[in-house]
Amino acid sequence: MRPTAYIETSVVSYLTARPSRDVVIAAYQEITRLWWREAADRFDLVASALVVAEARAGDPKAARIRLEALEAIALLDATLDAESLAHALVETGAAPRQAADDAAHIAISATNGVDFLVTWNFRHIANAAMRARIERVCRQEGFEPPIICTPNELTEASNGNAPD
């Protein structure tokens, strides 16, 4: 059985955006494109209606391209358990109130038993300072947290091996 990888909106945005002049962002975009080419062969890729809604926002042409990238991705349900866990993440400070949607991405992943939450959101999701709190709250609520990582951390080139 292949591991599951939840595609958070920042990944789709970096995948489909025009090349950035910022060297760091441009590198993230290239890493994302490389990862995306191999990801479907290595992972069961999933997202949620929240990712679709976020991808739909903004410039209509860019939104259409993001939505096209998501067409083949299975969507997970945002269950009552996910809503409860997202609320717990915010109430405990594992995610700030203004990042309730980020808490929802984490909660949807955890309550659906996803292995990896793939993101470029370093502010509220892939944040080492918050990771322990996120994991603790997920476990306190009865769910194993997904491994939160960037596409770079899941490329075969970065570690020489596919995940077990």
Side-chain angles (χ1 to χ4, degrees), residues 83-150:
E83 289 178 29
S84 177
L85 178 55
H87 179 75
L89 288 164
V90 170
E91 288 303 309
T92 60
R97 289 200 186 287
Q98 70 272 19
D101 284 350
D102 295 338
H105 289 300
I106 296 164
I108 292 166
S109 298
T111 59
N112 281 281
V114 168
D115 298 298
F116 299 97
L117 190 168
V118 187
T119 184
W120 287 111
N121 180 334
F122 295 113
R123 190 166 193 184
H124 301 126
I125 301 177
N127 181 313
M130 300 175 83
R131 184 167 289 141
R133 284 184 274 174
I134 290 168
E135 292 175 354
R136 183 176 57 252
V137 172
C138 287
R139 289 184 179 116
Q140 286 172 344
E141 296 295 318
F143 300 99
E144 187 60 25
I147 297 169
I148 298 171
C149 57
T150 66

Side-chain angles (χ1 to χ4, degrees), residues 4-141:
T4 53
Y6 180 95
I7 308 303
E8 188 266 335
T9 316
S10 62
V11 174
V12 177
S13 294
Y14 279 48
L15 174 69
T16 61
R18 292 188 326 246
S20 176
R21 291 185 201 170
D22 179 296
V23 294
V24 173
I25 301 295
Y28 291 168
Q29 289 174 318
E30 183 59 23
I31 289 165
T32 302
R33 286 190 282 279
L34 292 171
W35 180 77
W36 192 262
R37 283 196 284 265
E38 67 181 37
D41 294 333
R42 298 179 52 226
F43 303 96
D44 289 327
L45 302 177
V46 296
S48 66
L50 176 58
V51 172
V52 172
E54 291 176 341
R56 188 175 284 123
D59 175 72
K61 183 178 178 183
R64 183 177 38 78
I65 295 167
R66 289 190 296 269
L67 293 171
E68 287 172 4
L70 289 167
E71 283 179 353
I73 307 299
L75 299 182
L76 301 176
D77 291 327
T79 62
L80 291 176
D81 283 342
E83 289 178 29
S84 177
L85 178 55
H87 179 75
L89 288 164
V90 170
E91 288 303 309
T92 60
R97 289 200 186 287
Q98 70 272 19
D101 284 350
D102 295 338
H105 289 300
I106 296 164
I108 292 166
S109 298
T111 59
N112 281 281
V114 168
D115 298 298
F116 299 97
L117 190 168
V118 187
T119 184
W120 287 111
N121 180 334
F122 295 113
R123 190 166 193 184
H124 301 126
I125 301 177
N127 181 313
M130 300 175 83
R131 184 167 289 141
R133 284 184 274 174
I134 290 168
E135 292 175 354
R136 183 176 57 252
V137 172
C138 287
R139 289 184 179 116
Q140 286 172 344
E141 296 295 318

